[in-house]
Amino acid sequence: MDTTDARNNPTTTSPATGHCRHPAHCITRHGAKTTTGDRGERTPPWIDAAEAFKTEVEEASDNRLTVEIFPGGQLGNDQTVVDEIRIGTTDMIIGGVQNIAPYVQDFEIFSLNYLFDNMDAFRAAAAPESPVFSHFEQEMTDSGSGLELLALTGGGTRNLSTNTGPVTEPDDLDDVKMRITGSQLDAKTWQALGALTTSLPWTEIYTGMQTGVIGAFESTISGFFSSRLYEVAPYHAKTEHQIMMSHISIGESSLQRLSEQDQAIVREAARHAAELGTAKGVEYDEQLLSQLTERGVTVTEVDKQKFIDASRPLHDEFAAERGVSNLLALIRAL
């Protein structure tokens, strides 16, 4: 797993009575530590969500609960954080759902390109009253991970960037060497669009583009901007192929240490934070795209339907292989 990609850099929390040593939020009656995970791509919506969570929890509890935030993976990588939460030395995490997929494999469905038609469909899936959320809430409980899913939230949109010329349709990717993670699904997805895929760590994208090892990659807009990849990839295509699904989760043991009143405060604050995180993801993407054009990046619209038509057949294939056809139907019905 690419530990420098924002999809694997969570925000976590741990009790102030322990020592928060890994990403995200921590909560106990005495205090909480929160960190935001980071796989190299900065994900500002997670930080906004963490700060909103902290403010609401502390105010609603009259400071019985306190939250300390550790952004940027300061407490460790995603897998380490999940392990810390399971043993109780860290309390909470905000991060991409991929970091919990080893325990809840159904989360891998969110790696499918064009799973959601638009942001409204994404919000409908992430809503706490949705059957999709209920599915993952139960799956998390049944997984034995020791975590409880509090909320689903956004993390920004993923686009395609190149140095081989502007991309407006899949044909523009024919025989272009493209960086992907080590995921077999990623490889199938982009090969179906004509790209020649190669696995490369996030930290090697900049030099890979400079030396010609790769000529294209996909990322969040915030990751593209914060890592200054526009310096080596002057073409940015608004493929909008994924809206990054993220989760806010807490250790079951950490939550059970709280009174029923404080548990309710934590759950409510997490849901409010999730709504803010999704909205901030949209806001930041719009701001950053404007800043990219000011830096000389050519931002192109694409014939999205052609990309969708090439990608959608993989949905049913993936769902059948993983036994999640019913989940895919739930998402499509939103």
Short mmCIF file of all heavy atoms in Angstrom, two decimals, residues 56-120:
data_model
loop_
_atom_site.label_atom_id
_atom_site.label_comp_id
_atom_site.label_asym_id
_atom_site.label_seq_id
_atom_site.Cartn_x
_atom_site.Cartn_y
_atom_site.Cartn_z
N GLU A 56 -16.81 21.42 18.73
CA GLU A 56 -18.15 21.02 19.18
C GLU A 56 -18.08 20.11 20.41
O GLU A 56 -18.86 20.28 21.35
CB GLU A 56 -18.90 20.31 18.05
CG GLU A 56 -20.31 19.91 18.46
CD GLU A 56 -21.17 19.44 17.30
OE1 GLU A 56 -20.81 19.71 16.13
OE2 GLU A 56 -22.22 18.81 17.56
N VAL A 57 -17.17 19.17 20.41
CA VAL A 57 -17.06 18.24 21.55
C VAL A 57 -16.71 18.99 22.83
O VAL A 57 -17.31 18.76 23.88
CB VAL A 57 -16.02 17.14 21.25
CG1 VAL A 57 -15.63 16.41 22.54
CG2 VAL A 57 -16.55 16.16 20.24
N GLU A 58 -15.73 19.87 22.73
CA GLU A 58 -15.30 20.58 23.94
C GLU A 58 -16.37 21.52 24.45
O GLU A 58 -16.61 21.61 25.66
CB GLU A 58 -13.99 21.31 23.65
CG GLU A 58 -12.83 20.34 23.42
CD GLU A 58 -11.52 21.02 23.08
OE1 GLU A 58 -11.50 22.26 22.89
OE2 GLU A 58 -10.50 20.31 23.01
N GLU A 59 -17.06 22.21 23.53
CA GLU A 59 -18.11 23.13 23.96
C GLU A 59 -19.31 22.38 24.53
O GLU A 59 -19.86 22.75 25.58
CB GLU A 59 -18.55 24.01 22.79
CG GLU A 59 -17.50 25.04 22.38
CD GLU A 59 -17.97 25.91 21.23
OE1 GLU A 59 -19.07 25.63 20.67
OE2 GLU A 59 -17.25 26.87 20.87
N ALA A 60 -19.73 21.31 23.84
CA ALA A 60 -20.93 20.58 24.28
C ALA A 60 -20.70 19.84 25.59
O ALA A 60 -21.65 19.59 26.34
CB ALA A 60 -21.35 19.60 23.19
N SER A 61 -19.46 19.49 25.87
CA SER A 61 -19.16 18.75 27.11
C SER A 61 -18.67 19.65 28.23
O SER A 61 -18.27 19.16 29.29
CB SER A 61 -18.10 17.68 26.82
OG SER A 61 -16.85 18.29 26.53
N ASP A 62 -18.70 20.97 28.00
CA ASP A 62 -18.14 21.91 28.99
C ASP A 62 -16.71 21.53 29.34
O ASP A 62 -16.29 21.60 30.51
CB ASP A 62 -19.01 21.94 30.26
CG ASP A 62 -20.40 22.51 30.01
OD1 ASP A 62 -20.51 23.44 29.18
OD2 ASP A 62 -21.36 22.02 30.63
N ASN A 63 -15.98 21.10 28.31
CA ASN A 63 -14.56 20.75 28.44
C ASN A 63 -14.30 19.51 29.31
O ASN A 63 -13.17 19.29 29.75
CB ASN A 63 -13.73 21.93 28.95
CG ASN A 63 -13.63 23.03 27.90
OD1 ASN A 63 -13.35 22.76 26.73
ND2 ASN A 63 -13.88 24.26 28.31
N ARG A 64 -15.35 18.71 29.54
CA ARG A 64 -15.09 17.40 30.15
C ARG A 64 -14.24 16.57 29.19
O ARG A 64 -13.40 15.78 29.60
CB ARG A 64 -16.40 16.65 30.43
CG ARG A 64 -17.22 17.13 31.59
CD ARG A 64 -18.33 16.14 31.92
NE ARG A 64 -19.11 15.75 30.75
CZ ARG A 64 -20.12 16.46 30.26
NH1 ARG A 64 -20.46 17.61 30.83
NH2 ARG A 64 -20.80 16.02 29.21
N LEU A 65 -14.50 16.75 27.91
CA LEU A 65 -13.75 16.09 26.86
C LEU A 65 -12.89 17.12 26.16
O LEU A 65 -13.36 18.22 25.87
CB LEU A 65 -14.67 15.43 25.84
CG LEU A 65 -15.73 14.46 26.36
CD1 LEU A 65 -16.56 13.93 25.20
CD2 LEU A 65 -15.09 13.33 27.12
N THR A 66 -11.65 16.80 25.91
CA THR A 66 -10.80 17.68 25.12
C THR A 66 -10.18 16.89 23.98
O THR A 66 -10.00 15.67 24.08
CB THR A 66 -9.67 18.30 25.98
OG1 THR A 66 -8.88 17.25 26.54
CG2 THR A 66 -10.24 19.17 27.09
N VAL A 67 -9.88 17.57 22.91
CA VAL A 67 -9.38 16.92 21.71
C VAL A 67 -8.10 17.61 21.27
O VAL A 67 -8.03 18.84 21.19
CB VAL A 67 -10.41 17.01 20.56
CG1 VAL A 67 -9.86 16.39 19.28
CG2 VAL A 67 -11.72 16.33 20.96
N GLU A 68 -7.07 16.82 21.00
CA GLU A 68 -5.81 17.35 20.49
C GLU A 68 -5.61 16.80 19.09
O GLU A 68 -5.76 15.59 18.86
CB GLU A 68 -4.65 16.92 21.41
CG GLU A 68 -3.34 17.61 21.07
CD GLU A 68 -2.26 17.31 22.10
OE1 GLU A 68 -2.56 16.57 23.07
OE2 GLU A 68 -1.14 17.79 21.92
N ILE A 69 -5.27 17.67 18.16
CA ILE A 69 -5.20 17.29 16.75
C ILE A 69 -3.74 17.14 16.30
O ILE A 69 -2.93 18.01 16.56
CB ILE A 69 -5.90 18.34 15.87
CG1 ILE A 69 -7.38 18.45 16.27
CG2 ILE A 69 -5.77 17.99 14.38
CD1 ILE A 69 -8.10 19.62 15.60
N PHE A 70 -3.46 16.04 15.60
CA PHE A 70 -2.14 15.79 15.04
C PHE A 70 -2.27 15.59 13.53
O PHE A 70 -2.52 14.49 13.07
CB PHE A 70 -1.51 14.56 15.69
CG PHE A 70 -1.16 14.73 17.13
CD1 PHE A 70 -2.13 14.63 18.11
CD2 PHE A 70 0.14 15.01 17.51
CE1 PHE A 70 -1.82 14.81 19.45
CE2 PHE A 70 0.47 15.19 18.85
CZ PHE A 70 -0.50 15.09 19.82
N PRO A 71 -2.11 16.65 12.75
CA PRO A 71 -2.31 16.52 11.30
C PRO A 71 -1.09 15.94 10.60
O PRO A 71 0.01 15.89 11.14
CB PRO A 71 -2.56 17.96 10.87
CG PRO A 71 -1.78 18.77 11.86
CD PRO A 71 -1.87 18.03 13.16
N GLY A 72 -1.33 15.50 9.36
CA GLY A 72 -0.23 15.12 8.49
C GLY A 72 0.45 13.82 8.86
O GLY A 72 1.62 13.61 8.57
N GLY A 73 -0.26 12.90 9.48
CA GLY A 73 0.35 11.61 9.79
C GLY A 73 1.42 11.68 10.85
O GLY A 73 2.31 10.84 10.89
N GLN A 74 1.36 12.66 11.74
CA GLN A 74 2.40 12.82 12.77
C GLN A 74 2.48 11.62 13.70
O GLN A 74 3.53 11.36 14.29
CB GLN A 74 2.13 14.08 13.59
CG GLN A 74 2.31 15.37 12.82
CD GLN A 74 2.04 16.59 13.70
OE1 GLN A 74 2.17 16.54 14.91
NE2 GLN A 74 1.64 17.69 13.06
N LEU A 75 1.38 10.90 13.84
CA LEU A 75 1.37 9.77 14.77
C LEU A 75 1.70 8.46 14.09
O LEU A 75 1.67 7.41 14.71
CB LEU A 75 0.01 9.68 15.46
CG LEU A 75 -0.38 10.90 16.26
CD1 LEU A 75 -1.66 10.68 17.02
CD2 LEU A 75 0.75 11.27 17.23
N GLY A 76 2.00 8.50 12.79
CA GLY A 76 2.35 7.27 12.09
C GLY A 76 1.48 7.05 10.87
O GLY A 76 0.58 7.84 10.57
N ASN A 77 1.74 5.94 10.16
CA ASN A 77 0.95 5.67 8.97
C ASN A 77 -0.40 5.07 9.34
O ASN A 77 -0.67 4.77 10.51
CB ASN A 77 1.70 4.77 7.98
CG ASN A 77 1.97 3.38 8.55
OD1 ASN A 77 1.19 2.85 9.32
ND2 ASN A 77 3.08 2.79 8.16
N ASP A 78 -1.23 4.88 8.35
CA ASP A 78 -2.61 4.49 8.60
C ASP A 78 -2.73 3.16 9.32
O ASP A 78 -3.51 3.03 10.27
CB ASP A 78 -3.39 4.46 7.29
CG ASP A 78 -2.72 3.60 6.24
OD1 ASP A 78 -1.49 3.66 6.10
OD2 ASP A 78 -3.42 2.86 5.55
N GLN A 79 -1.98 2.15 8.90
CA GLN A 79 -2.11 0.85 9.53
C GLN A 79 -1.66 0.88 10.98
O GLN A 79 -2.27 0.26 11.86
CB GLN A 79 -1.28 -0.20 8.77
CG GLN A 79 -1.56 -1.63 9.22
CD GLN A 79 -3.03 -2.01 9.10
OE1 GLN A 79 -3.60 -1.96 8.02
NE2 GLN A 79 -3.65 -2.35 10.22
N THR A 80 -0.61 1.65 11.26
CA THR A 80 -0.13 1.78 12.63
C THR A 80 -1.20 2.43 13.50
O THR A 80 -1.44 2.00 14.64
CB THR A 80 1.15 2.63 12.68
OG1 THR A 80 2.15 2.01 11.89
CG2 THR A 80 1.65 2.78 14.11
N VAL A 81 -1.85 3.45 12.95
CA VAL A 81 -2.87 4.15 13.71
C VAL A 81 -4.04 3.22 14.05
O VAL A 81 -4.52 3.19 15.18
CB VAL A 81 -3.39 5.36 12.91
CG1 VAL A 81 -4.61 5.95 13.59
CG2 VAL A 81 -2.31 6.41 12.80
N VAL A 82 -4.49 2.46 13.06
CA VAL A 82 -5.59 1.53 13.31
C VAL A 82 -5.20 0.53 14.39
O VAL A 82 -5.99 0.22 15.30
CB VAL A 82 -5.99 0.81 12.01
CG1 VAL A 82 -6.99 -0.31 12.30
CG2 VAL A 82 -6.61 1.80 11.03
N ASP A 83 -3.98 0.04 14.34
CA ASP A 83 -3.51 -0.89 15.37
C ASP A 83 -3.48 -0.23 16.74
O ASP A 83 -3.84 -0.86 17.75
CB ASP A 83 -2.11 -1.41 15.02
CG ASP A 83 -2.12 -2.36 13.83
OD1 ASP A 83 -3.21 -2.87 13.49
OD2 ASP A 83 -1.05 -2.56 13.23
N GLU A 84 -3.06 1.05 16.78
CA GLU A 84 -3.02 1.77 18.06
C GLU A 84 -4.43 1.95 18.62
O GLU A 84 -4.64 1.86 19.84
CB GLU A 84 -2.36 3.14 17.87
CG GLU A 84 -0.87 3.09 17.55
CD GLU A 84 -0.03 2.78 18.77
OE1 GLU A 84 -0.54 2.93 19.89
OE2 GLU A 84 1.14 2.38 18.59
N ILE A 85 -5.39 2.22 17.74
CA ILE A 85 -6.77 2.37 18.20
C ILE A 85 -7.29 1.05 18.75
O ILE A 85 -7.98 1.01 19.78
CB ILE A 85 -7.67 2.87 17.05
CG1 ILE A 85 -7.28 4.30 16.66
CG2 ILE A 85 -9.14 2.82 17.45
CD1 ILE A 85 -7.99 4.81 15.43
N ARG A 86 -6.93 -0.03 18.10
CA ARG A 86 -7.42 -1.34 18.53
C ARG A 86 -6.93 -1.70 19.93
O ARG A 86 -7.63 -2.38 20.69
CB ARG A 86 -6.98 -2.41 17.53
CG ARG A 86 -7.57 -2.22 16.15
CD ARG A 86 -7.16 -3.33 15.21
NE ARG A 86 -7.86 -4.57 15.54
CZ ARG A 86 -7.46 -5.78 15.18
NH1 ARG A 86 -6.30 -5.92 14.56
NH2 ARG A 86 -8.18 -6.85 15.49
N ILE A 87 -5.72 -1.24 20.28
CA ILE A 87 -5.19 -1.57 21.62
C ILE A 87 -5.45 -0.45 22.62
O ILE A 87 -5.11 -0.57 23.79
CB ILE A 87 -3.69 -1.89 21.57
CG1 ILE A 87 -2.87 -0.67 21.11
CG2 ILE A 87 -3.43 -3.08 20.69
CD1 ILE A 87 -1.37 -0.91 21.14
N GLY A 88 -6.06 0.66 22.15
CA GLY A 88 -6.50 1.69 23.07
C GLY A 88 -5.54 2.82 23.36
O GLY A 88 -5.81 3.66 24.22
N THR A 89 -4.40 2.89 22.63
CA THR A 89 -3.47 3.99 22.89
C THR A 89 -3.76 5.21 22.01
O THR A 89 -3.19 6.26 22.21
CB THR A 89 -2.02 3.54 22.66
OG1 THR A 89 -1.90 2.97 21.37
CG2 THR A 89 -1.62 2.52 23.71
N THR A 90 -4.61 5.05 21.03
CA THR A 90 -5.13 6.15 20.23
C THR A 90 -6.63 5.95 20.14
O THR A 90 -7.11 4.83 20.18
CB THR A 90 -4.49 6.14 18.82
OG1 THR A 90 -3.09 6.33 18.94
CG2 THR A 90 -5.07 7.25 17.96
N ASP A 91 -7.37 7.05 20.04
CA ASP A 91 -8.83 6.93 20.13
C ASP A 91 -9.57 6.97 18.81
O ASP A 91 -10.51 6.21 18.59
CB ASP A 91 -9.41 8.05 21.01
CG ASP A 91 -8.93 7.97 22.44
OD1 ASP A 91 -8.90 6.86 22.98
OD2 ASP A 91 -8.56 9.01 22.99
N MET A 92 -9.19 7.92 17.93
CA MET A 92 -10.00 8.15 16.75
C MET A 92 -9.14 8.36 15.51
O MET A 92 -7.95 8.63 15.62
CB MET A 92 -10.89 9.39 16.94
CG MET A 92 -11.98 9.22 17.96
SD MET A 92 -13.01 10.71 18.06
CE MET A 92 -13.71 10.76 16.40
N ILE A 93 -9.81 8.28 14.37
CA ILE A 93 -9.12 8.47 13.10
C ILE A 93 -10.05 9.12 12.08
O ILE A 93 -11.25 8.82 12.05
CB ILE A 93 -8.60 7.11 12.56
CG1 ILE A 93 -7.82 7.29 11.26
CG2 ILE A 93 -9.73 6.12 12.38
CD1 ILE A 93 -7.12 6.02 10.81
N ILE A 94 -9.49 10.03 11.31
CA ILE A 94 -10.17 10.56 10.12
C ILE A 94 -9.23 10.28 8.95
O ILE A 94 -8.09 10.74 8.95
CB ILE A 94 -10.44 12.07 10.22
CG1 ILE A 94 -11.28 12.40 11.45
CG2 ILE A 94 -11.14 12.56 8.94
CD1 ILE A 94 -11.50 13.90 11.65
N GLY A 95 -9.69 9.53 7.99
CA GLY A 95 -8.81 9.20 6.87
C GLY A 95 -9.57 8.53 5.75
O GLY A 95 -10.78 8.29 5.84
N GLY A 96 -8.86 8.22 4.68
CA GLY A 96 -9.48 7.53 3.56
C GLY A 96 -9.92 6.13 3.96
O GLY A 96 -9.29 5.48 4.80
N VAL A 97 -11.02 5.67 3.37
CA VAL A 97 -11.56 4.37 3.77
C VAL A 97 -10.62 3.22 3.42
O VAL A 97 -10.74 2.12 3.98
CB VAL A 97 -12.94 4.12 3.14
CG1 VAL A 97 -13.97 5.08 3.70
CG2 VAL A 97 -12.88 4.20 1.61
N GLN A 98 -9.65 3.47 2.53
CA GLN A 98 -8.70 2.40 2.19
C GLN A 98 -7.92 1.91 3.41
O GLN A 98 -7.48 0.76 3.46
CB GLN A 98 -7.73 2.86 1.11
CG GLN A 98 -8.35 2.96 -0.27
CD GLN A 98 -9.16 4.23 -0.45
OE1 GLN A 98 -9.22 5.08 0.44
NE2 GLN A 98 -9.79 4.38 -1.60
N ASN A 99 -7.73 2.81 4.40
CA ASN A 99 -6.92 2.40 5.54
C ASN A 99 -7.63 1.42 6.46
O ASN A 99 -7.00 0.79 7.30
CB ASN A 99 -6.39 3.61 6.32
CG ASN A 99 -7.49 4.47 6.92
OD1 ASN A 99 -8.49 3.97 7.41
ND2 ASN A 99 -7.30 5.77 6.87
N ILE A 100 -8.93 1.27 6.28
CA ILE A 100 -9.68 0.31 7.09
C ILE A 100 -10.13 -0.88 6.26
O ILE A 100 -10.72 -1.84 6.77
CB ILE A 100 -10.88 1.01 7.79
CG1 ILE A 100 -11.35 0.23 9.01
CG2 ILE A 100 -12.01 1.25 6.80
CD1 ILE A 100 -10.34 0.17 10.12
N ALA A 101 -9.86 -0.83 4.94
CA ALA A 101 -10.28 -1.91 4.05
C ALA A 101 -9.71 -3.29 4.42
O ALA A 101 -10.37 -4.30 4.15
CB ALA A 101 -9.93 -1.56 2.60
N PRO A 102 -8.50 -3.38 5.02
CA PRO A 102 -8.06 -4.71 5.44
C PRO A 102 -9.00 -5.39 6.43
O PRO A 102 -9.03 -6.61 6.52
CB PRO A 102 -6.69 -4.43 6.09
CG PRO A 102 -6.20 -3.21 5.39
CD PRO A 102 -7.43 -2.37 5.19
N TYR A 103 -9.80 -4.58 7.15
CA TYR A 103 -10.76 -5.13 8.11
C TYR A 103 -12.17 -5.17 7.52
O TYR A 103 -12.96 -6.05 7.84
CB TYR A 103 -10.77 -4.29 9.39
CG TYR A 103 -9.43 -4.23 10.06
CD1 TYR A 103 -8.59 -3.13 9.90
CD2 TYR A 103 -8.97 -5.30 10.84
CE1 TYR A 103 -7.34 -3.08 10.50
CE2 TYR A 103 -7.73 -5.26 11.45
CZ TYR A 103 -6.92 -4.15 11.27
OH TYR A 103 -5.68 -4.11 11.86
N VAL A 104 -12.50 -4.18 6.70
CA VAL A 104 -13.82 -4.10 6.07
C VAL A 104 -13.58 -4.01 4.56
O VAL A 104 -13.49 -2.93 3.99
CB VAL A 104 -14.62 -2.89 6.58
CG1 VAL A 104 -16.02 -2.87 5.96
CG2 VAL A 104 -14.72 -2.91 8.10
N GLN A 105 -13.48 -5.14 3.91
CA GLN A 105 -13.08 -5.17 2.50
C GLN A 105 -14.08 -4.49 1.58
O GLN A 105 -13.71 -4.03 0.50
CB GLN A 105 -12.85 -6.62 2.06
CG GLN A 105 -11.64 -7.26 2.70
CD GLN A 105 -11.32 -8.62 2.11
OE1 GLN A 105 -12.04 -9.12 1.24
NE2 GLN A 105 -10.24 -9.22 2.57
N ASP A 106 -15.34 -4.39 2.02
CA ASP A 106 -16.34 -3.74 1.17
C ASP A 106 -15.98 -2.28 0.88
O ASP A 106 -16.45 -1.71 -0.10
CB ASP A 106 -17.71 -3.80 1.83
CG ASP A 106 -18.31 -5.20 1.80
OD1 ASP A 106 -17.61 -6.13 1.35
OD2 ASP A 106 -19.47 -5.37 2.23
N PHE A 107 -15.15 -1.67 1.73
CA PHE A 107 -14.74 -0.29 1.49
C PHE A 107 -13.99 -0.14 0.17
O PHE A 107 -13.89 0.97 -0.38
CB PHE A 107 -13.87 0.23 2.63
CG PHE A 107 -14.64 0.81 3.78
CD1 PHE A 107 -14.38 0.41 5.08
CD2 PHE A 107 -15.62 1.78 3.57
CE1 PHE A 107 -15.08 0.95 6.15
CE2 PHE A 107 -16.34 2.31 4.63
CZ PHE A 107 -16.07 1.90 5.93
N GLU A 108 -13.46 -1.24 -0.37
CA GLU A 108 -12.72 -1.16 -1.62
C GLU A 108 -13.59 -0.73 -2.78
O GLU A 108 -13.09 -0.28 -3.82
CB GLU A 108 -12.07 -2.52 -1.92
CG GLU A 108 -10.96 -2.87 -0.94
CD GLU A 108 -10.35 -4.23 -1.22
OE1 GLU A 108 -10.82 -4.91 -2.17
OE2 GLU A 108 -9.41 -4.62 -0.50
N ILE A 109 -14.90 -0.83 -2.63
CA ILE A 109 -15.80 -0.42 -3.71
C ILE A 109 -15.65 1.05 -4.05
O ILE A 109 -15.87 1.47 -5.18
CB ILE A 109 -17.27 -0.76 -3.35
CG1 ILE A 109 -18.12 -0.77 -4.64
CG2 ILE A 109 -17.83 0.24 -2.32
CD1 ILE A 109 -19.52 -1.33 -4.42
N PHE A 110 -15.19 1.85 -3.07
CA PHE A 110 -15.05 3.28 -3.31
C PHE A 110 -13.81 3.62 -4.14
O PHE A 110 -13.56 4.79 -4.44
CB PHE A 110 -15.04 4.03 -1.98
CG PHE A 110 -16.34 3.95 -1.24
CD1 PHE A 110 -16.41 3.36 0.02
CD2 PHE A 110 -17.51 4.41 -1.81
CE1 PHE A 110 -17.61 3.25 0.69
CE2 PHE A 110 -18.73 4.32 -1.15
CZ PHE A 110 -18.78 3.74 0.10
N SER A 111 -13.04 2.60 -4.52
CA SER A 111 -11.91 2.81 -5.42
C SER A 111 -12.33 2.72 -6.88
O SER A 111 -11.51 2.96 -7.78
CB SER A 111 -10.81 1.77 -5.16
OG SER A 111 -10.25 1.95 -3.87
N LEU A 112 -13.60 2.39 -7.13
CA LEU A 112 -14.09 2.33 -8.50
C LEU A 112 -14.26 3.74 -9.06
O LEU A 112 -14.85 4.61 -8.40
CB LEU A 112 -15.43 1.60 -8.56
CG LEU A 112 -15.41 0.10 -8.29
CD1 LEU A 112 -16.83 -0.42 -8.13
CD2 LEU A 112 -14.69 -0.63 -9.42
N ASN A 113 -13.76 3.97 -10.26
CA ASN A 113 -13.95 5.27 -10.91
C ASN A 113 -15.40 5.44 -11.34
O ASN A 113 -16.05 4.49 -11.79
CB ASN A 113 -13.05 5.39 -12.14
CG ASN A 113 -11.60 5.65 -11.77
OD1 ASN A 113 -11.24 5.74 -10.60
ND2 ASN A 113 -10.75 5.79 -12.78
N TYR A 114 -15.89 6.64 -11.18
CA TYR A 114 -17.24 7.02 -11.58
C TYR A 114 -18.31 6.18 -10.89
O TYR A 114 -19.32 5.83 -11.48
CB TYR A 114 -17.38 6.96 -13.11
CG TYR A 114 -16.40 7.88 -13.80
CD1 TYR A 114 -15.30 7.37 -14.48
CD2 TYR A 114 -16.55 9.26 -13.73
CE1 TYR A 114 -14.38 8.21 -15.08
CE2 TYR A 114 -15.64 10.12 -14.32
CZ TYR A 114 -14.55 9.59 -14.99
OH TYR A 114 -13.63 10.43 -15.58
N LEU A 115 -18.07 5.89 -9.61
CA LEU A 115 -19.07 5.19 -8.82
C LEU A 115 -20.26 6.10 -8.55
O LEU A 115 -21.40 5.64 -8.48
CB LEU A 115 -18.45 4.73 -7.50
CG LEU A 115 -19.33 3.92 -6.56
CD1 LEU A 115 -19.74 2.60 -7.21
CD2 LEU A 115 -18.60 3.65 -5.24
N PHE A 116 -19.99 7.40 -8.39
CA PHE A 116 -21.05 8.38 -8.13
C PHE A 116 -21.23 9.29 -9.35
O PHE A 116 -20.25 9.75 -9.92
CB PHE A 116 -20.70 9.22 -6.91
CG PHE A 116 -20.52 8.42 -5.65
CD1 PHE A 116 -19.26 8.19 -5.13
CD2 PHE A 116 -21.62 7.88 -5.01
CE1 PHE A 116 -19.09 7.44 -3.98
CE2 PHE A 116 -21.47 7.13 -3.85
CZ PHE A 116 -20.20 6.91 -3.33
N ASP A 117 -22.48 9.54 -9.68
CA ASP A 117 -22.75 10.41 -10.84
C ASP A 117 -22.37 11.85 -10.56
O ASP A 117 -21.98 12.59 -11.46
CB ASP A 117 -24.24 10.34 -11.20
CG ASP A 117 -24.62 9.00 -11.81
OD1 ASP A 117 -23.73 8.33 -12.38
OD2 ASP A 117 -25.80 8.62 -11.71
N ASN A 118 -22.49 12.28 -9.32
CA ASN A 118 -22.21 13.66 -8.97
C ASN A 118 -22.07 13.77 -7.45
O ASN A 118 -22.21 12.77 -6.72
CB ASN A 118 -23.32 14.59 -9.48
CG ASN A 118 -24.71 14.08 -9.11
OD1 ASN A 118 -24.96 13.68 -7.97
ND2 ASN A 118 -25.62 14.08 -10.07
N MET A 119 -21.82 14.98 -6.99
CA MET A 119 -21.62 15.19 -5.55
C MET A 119 -22.89 14.93 -4.76
O MET A 119 -22.83 14.48 -3.60
CB MET A 119 -21.12 16.61 -5.30
CG MET A 119 -20.78 16.91 -3.85
SD MET A 119 -19.53 15.80 -3.13
CE MET A 119 -18.07 16.34 -4.02
N ASP A 120 -24.05 15.18 -5.34
CA ASP A 120 -25.30 14.90 -4.63
C ASP A 120 -25.43 13.40 -4.32
O ASP A 120 -25.87 13.01 -3.24
CB ASP A 120 -26.50 15.37 -5.45
CG ASP A 120 -26.65 16.88 -5.47
OD1 ASP A 120 -26.06 17.54 -4.59
OD2 ASP A 120 -27.34 17.40 -6.37
#
